[in-house]
Amino acid sequence: DAGVIQSPRHEVTEMGQEVTLRCKPISGHDYLFWYRQTMMRGLELLIYFNNNVPIDDSGMPEDRFSAKMPNASFSTLKIQPSEPRDSAVYFCASSSRGLGNQPQHFGDGTRLSIL
Amino acid sequence: AQKVTQAQTEISVVEKEDVTLDCVYETRDTTYYLFWYKQPPSGELVFLIRRNSFDEQNEISGRYSWNFQKSTSSFNFTITASQVVDSAVYFCALSEDSGAGSYQLTFGKGTKLSVIP
């Protein structure tokens, strides 16, 4: 079975540009999560969806960040406008039957560099 | 608020040595879940194990073993006869109900394990 697929693997762009990260969860998984990993703050949950509906977006740093899940097989995380401090590795993960008692399966991440 | 502490930032061992990675957590819930993830140098996050708060039985999987002790709020991870391929950052994580059926997953800062040949 295919795992969680993220694209692009690497993104380098200039400050002020719009950045869109993409994720395809594992088929049949009802939950999708977006994380950010930095040296300073470690792994942070940004937002998660259940059945395509955002459940908790309290981790989204500010209004420049937005996430959508138009269908069960696709989600995007958008940053507009991007800033150098957004540079990080962004992970998407999916799981079945909830965040609490099922493991999350992670994609390979998108390494984002904002110049 | 929930919290996960991995006090060991970096550990180096010589191949074939045993090594234990510590994880201490804080939670007010009686129902919660603990996880360990491995992040090798290639960067992906690999799920290793999940335990629920009602199951304190220790678990062994090959060279890996986990010691869950509610009395000390610890969920330690031991690698026996370490190998170079075990070199990675290991994350402990805690999940508890944050209300209205929503769960929060909190990761520790991670422990970087280097196994020297």
Side-chain angles (χ1 to χ4, degrees):
Chain A
D1 287 341
V4 175
I5 299 173
Q6 291 186 247
S7 64
R9 289 297 310 276
H10 303 273
E11 175 87 11
V12 180
T13 191
E14 292 187 348
M15 175 180 174
Q17 296 297 308
E18 178 179 290
V19 174
T20 299
L21 311 181
R22 297 173 177 80
C23 175
K24 177 179 169 56
I26 293 173
S27 178
H29 280 187
D30 296 331
Y31 289 79
L32 183 140
F33 311 86
W34 283 101
Y35 289 87
R36 177 171 67 175
Q37 185 178 32
T38 61
M39 289 295 293
M40 291 294 293
R41 299 174 69 91
L43 270 161
E44 303 172 279
L45 176 64
L46 300 177
I47 184 172
Y48 78 92
F49 295 82
N50 178 19
N51 290 323
N52 313 337
V53 177
I55 301 300
D56 187 345
D57 65 354
S58 59
M60 296 286 264
E62 48 196 278
D63 292 344
R64 298 184 297 106
F65 286 70
S66 62
K68 294 182 179 179
M69 192 165 185
N71 57 62
S73 59
F74 183 66
S75 177
T76 60
L77 177 67
K78 189 171 293 187
I79 309 173
Q80 167 61 22
S82 57
E83 296 182 3
R85 60 193 168 116
D86 302 331
S87 298
V89 180
Y90 290 82
F91 286 100
C92 176
S94 70
S95 73
S96 60
R97 295 176 54 198
L99 173 58
N101 61 4
Q102 292 296 322
Q104 296 175 33
H105 299 272
F106 284 76
D108 289 340
T110 295
R111 185 172 296 276
L112 177 64
S113 297
I114 308 297
L115 306 177
Chain B
Q2 61 192 62
K3 185 178 177 182
V4 177
T5 302
Q6 294 180 255
Q8 305 147 306
T9 304
E10 293 192 40
I11 301 176
S12 290
V13 298
V14 177
E15 197 170 23
K16 297 185 182 177
E17 287 184 349
D18 299 346
V19 59
T20 295
L21 310 182
D22 297 333
C23 174
V24 175
Y25 62 92
E26 294 178 27
T27 178
R28 297 179 185 175
D29 278 10
T30 55
T31 301
Y32 53 89
Y33 302 87
L34 295 162
F35 303 82
W36 275 95
Y37 282 85
K38 172 182 180 180
Q39 187 173 39
S42 49
E44 71 272 23
L45 279 157
V46 180
F47 165 76
L48 295 178
I49 189 171
R50 169 183 63 88
R51 305 295 296 190
N52 72 57
S53 52
F54 299 107
D55 183 3
E56 285 193 75
Q57 187 173 8
N58 292 331
E59 183 156 338
I60 298 175
S61 176
R63 296 184 296 106
Y64 295 172
S65 62
W66 290 269
N67 185 338
F68 176 27
Q69 292 195 342
K70 290 179 74 171
S71 61
T72 55
S73 297
S74 65
F75 186 43
N76 297 336
F77 174 28
T78 296
I79 302 175
T80 304
S82 60
Q83 300 175 3
V84 173
V85 293
D86 297 326
S87 297
V89 180
Y90 291 86
F91 292 94
C92 180
L94 165 69
S95 174
E96 64 177 9
D97 188 355
S98 59
S102 173
Y103 279 82
Q104 273 293 333
L105 183 63
T106 301
F107 282 85
K109 295 294 187 184
T111 297
K112 182 178 181 180
L113 173 66
S114 298
V115 180
I116 304 165

